[in-house]
Amino acid sequence: MDSGASKNKLYREIFLKSKRAVEKKIAGFKSSDEAIFYLDVTLKNEILSSENEIKAAFNKIKCIQCGVCCRFAVSEFSPGELLKRAKAGDRTSKSFLETFELYSENIPPSGFKDLAEPYSLQGCYFYHCKKAEIKNGKYFCPIYHKRPDVCRNFPDTPLERLPKTCAYNVWKDENEIKAMYIKALNDVRKFYLDETKKDSTKKRSNMV
């Protein structure tokens, strides 16, 4: 896919299509309980099945050790914000802080200018791995087999922006649209599940 604008347009189309499909399905149920079961169980399981297919495809790709993910990690949170989240029990933030540190003055190396530019106006923070080393011209992780989940699961979604050198671009290209459908369906599912539960509770209250 090309620009961020075209991706946003495509996602909006997918979102609206997913919304119409879920609305049509809900309209066919005779009771709120049937709609809730569909949203909370049936549709949720369908989404999980699609996610598992993406994960299975992910496991077939082998990292080529280009080192970009080690040298250039982006977060919307500052180190202070990540620390607060970690203390509140957020394991991902804790793992991230244990693995990465902020570049000096939050300025990434010049070699990452093309990667950093889309983020620069969004108040993001640029980090690099504390442990990555170079051996025979390739980056490697000295604790690779015990690496934290934040590294083990990268990229955690085909919607993530990847450098051109990353081997997972093949996986991203093959699964990006499917991931958009998953995200759209899950957002729609959560919204209508909440609304249907509220409506069901309200009707039962009125019957008392």
Side-chain angles (χ1 to χ4, degrees):
M1 268 181 248
D2 299 321
S3 67
S6 63
K7 286 185 181 181
N8 289 338
K9 181 180 179 182
L10 177 59
Y11 178 73
R12 178 167 175 76
E13 292 173 356
I14 289 173
F15 181 86
L16 292 175
K17 183 178 180 179
S18 300
K19 181 174 180 289
R20 288 192 295 268
V22 172
E23 286 175 341
K24 182 178 180 180
K25 190 74 175 180
I26 292 175
F29 293 120
K30 296 179 180 179
S31 69
S32 296
D33 288 341
E34 287 181 322
I36 290 172
F37 184 85
Y38 166 72
L39 293 165
D40 203 21
V41 180
T42 306
L43 182 56
K44 183 178 181 180
N45 286 339
E46 289 176 5
I47 291 171
L48 287 174
S49 178
S50 293
E51 288 179 342
N52 287 335
E53 288 176 3
I54 290 178
K55 288 178 182 178
F58 174 89
N59 292 330
K60 294 178 181 178
I61 306 296
K62 184 177 180 180
C63 172
I64 58 173
Q65 296 178 283
C66 71
V68 176
C69 61
C70 305
R71 293 174 289 157
F72 187 79
V74 182
S75 174
E76 61 182 299
F77 302 111
S78 68
E81 291 169 327
L82 286 170
L83 183 59
K84 287 181 181 179
R85 294 171 67 88
K87 287 181 177 179
D90 187 335
R91 293 183 180 179
T92 300
S93 295
K94 182 176 183 295
S95 180
F96 191 93
L97 283 176
E98 290 173 347
T99 307
F100 298 97
E101 62 184 2
L102 193 72
Y103 273 109
S104 177
E105 299 181 6
N106 196 35
I107 300 175
S110 58
F112 294 98
K113 183 179 179 181
D114 291 342
L115 284 173
E117 190 60 33
Y119 298 106
S120 61
L121 301 178
Q122 301 175 26
C124 288
Y125 297 86
F126 307 110
Y127 298 80
H128 63 94
C129 178
K130 304 173 185 179
K131 297 183 175 69
E133 300 176 11
I134 297 179
K135 184 177 182 179
N136 298 325
K138 286 189 174 183
Y139 275 82
F140 79 99
C141 175
I143 59 166
Y144 185 79
H145 295 295
K146 295 182 179 179
R147 66 195 185 282
D149 287 344
V150 70
C151 300
R152 191 178 299 276
N153 297 331
F154 177 86
D156 60 357
T157 170
L159 301 180
E160 187 146 7
R161 189 168 182 272
L162 301 178
K164 294 178 180 179
T165 53
C166 184
Y168 286 93
N169 272 302
V170 174
W171 170 77
K172 173 185 171 70
D173 291 342
E174 292 177 350
N175 294 279
E176 191 169 16
I177 292 179
K178 181 184 287 187
M180 286 186 182
Y181 271 103
I182 288 173
K183 174 174 169 46
L185 274 174
N186 209 27
D187 287 345
V188 172
R189 182 189 74 83
K190 289 178 179 179
F191 173 79
Y192 281 109
L193 178 60
D194 185 51
E195 290 299 303
T196 305
K197 285 182 176 180
K198 286 180 182 178
D199 186 54
S200 179
T201 300
K202 185 177 179 181
K203 287 180 180 179
R204 286 173 182 170
S205 298
N206 291 336
M207 291 174 65
V208 176

